[in-house]
Amino acid sequence: MKKIISVMLIIALTLTLALSLTACGGSKGVTIAIPNDTTNEARALLLLEDLGYITLKEGAGITATPLDIAENPHNIQFNEVEAAQLPNVLKDVDYAIINSNYAIDAGLNPVDDSLAIEGSASAYGNILAVKEGNEGSDIIKALVAALESQQVVDFIGTEYGGAVVSVVENPTDGYDPDLDYAALEGQTVSVAASPAPHAEILLIAQEILAAKGITLEIVEFTDYVQPNNVVESGELDANYFQHVPYLDDFNAENGTHIVSTSVIHVEPMGLYGGKQTSLDSIGK
């Protein structure tokens, strides 16, 4: 009799627990892969909060992590992945939130293929960055003028269809009127960049500078660490791949001395379906 009662109690407790979990949205919800670097992880969580799927603790901002989630009614499971690898793991998770540069490089169109996309990413404008002290050099000023040109603005507008958006307010003709370009002829400026869209945009600047006898060397990287390291070491002159919140966090964490010289464009971060093809599964 005691054994029967014990078994019945265990069954009752199990049913109670199951009902309790069901009431709060299920014991395990969908899995969403998000970037594992500090600022882009927070950016992904803020997107989910904007969509109404989670609530972050008061005061959680651009350094938020899953530990800062106050409410998760759909029991979303988070898979923290290196940003460049997110397109590769998309097929293995329900959803992934991917930076547009990596989405584009993987053949995804952020406007057409994402299930949700940031409404505004003004705080995350992608910058041209150099080691502190070099921002005033003539060769960097020439590079800035080329990237802030109307040619680059037009290229971004026609090439990416809203997946990348120029934020240059007063485009130049590609050249800085205060520079002596004859004195820069024969010089080379090197830039670390992610393949898309940054290296593609730099090709337009490369043509502009070549017309003045300046060589722009573009060196592609597929991660978010080495582009800053090679600028800090002096191996390369500049980089073009990141936004200011990421740079600020990188400098604080690594003791580097890299500064922004110009904000060129924004890339709205998108939520993409992997195993799921719509957002309906998040609420189930």
Side-chain angles (χ1 to χ4, degrees), residues 11-27:
I11 293 173
L13 287 170
T14 301
L15 289 172
T16 300
L17 179 60
L19 288 171
S20 175
L21 289 170
T22 300
C24 68
S27 60

Side-chain angles (χ1 to χ4, degrees), residues 50-185:
D50 288 342
L51 292 170
Y53 295 128
I54 63 171
T55 301
L56 295 171
K57 295 176 183 177
E58 186 176 353
I62 61 172
T63 59
T65 74
L67 296 176
D68 294 303
I69 296 174
E71 297 178 18
N72 184 8
H74 305 295
N75 294 308
I76 296 169
Q77 310 297 306
F78 293 97
N79 188 359
E80 297 168 282
V81 177
E82 200 277 319
Q85 296 304 315
L86 284 165
N88 297 330
V89 304
L90 181 59
K91 65 182 183 300
D92 301 317
V93 295
D94 294 302
Y95 305 94
I97 299 179
I98 307 175
N99 295 80
S100 284
N101 60 308
Y102 291 128
I104 293 169
D105 196 43
L108 296 169
N109 184 307
V111 174
D112 297 333
D113 298 328
S114 66
L115 301 176
I117 198 166
E118 285 177 321
S120 173
S122 60
Y124 301 99
N126 281 220
I127 60 173
L128 179 73
V130 300
K131 189 168 183 179
E132 187 175 12
N134 294 335
E135 61 270 30
S137 70
D138 286 351
I139 195 70
I140 295 301
K141 288 181 179 179
L143 176 58
V144 169
L147 278 173
E148 292 184 347
S149 67
Q150 187 64 53
Q151 297 96 306
V152 166
V153 171
D154 292 343
F155 173 79
I156 290 173
T158 58
E159 182 70 15
Y160 301 110
V164 179
V165 181
S166 172
V167 294
V168 175
E169 295 183 356
N170 299 299
T172 71
D173 63 356
Y175 305 108
D176 186 330
D178 297 325
L179 292 180
D180 180 1
Y181 280 89
L184 296 175
E185 187 174 352

Side-chain angles (χ1 to χ4, degrees), residues 178-202:
D178 297 325
L179 292 180
D180 180 1
Y181 280 89
L184 296 175
E185 187 174 352
Q187 292 191 30
T188 296
V189 59
S190 54
V191 183
S194 57
H198 305 83
E200 296 169 352
I201 294 170
L202 283 167

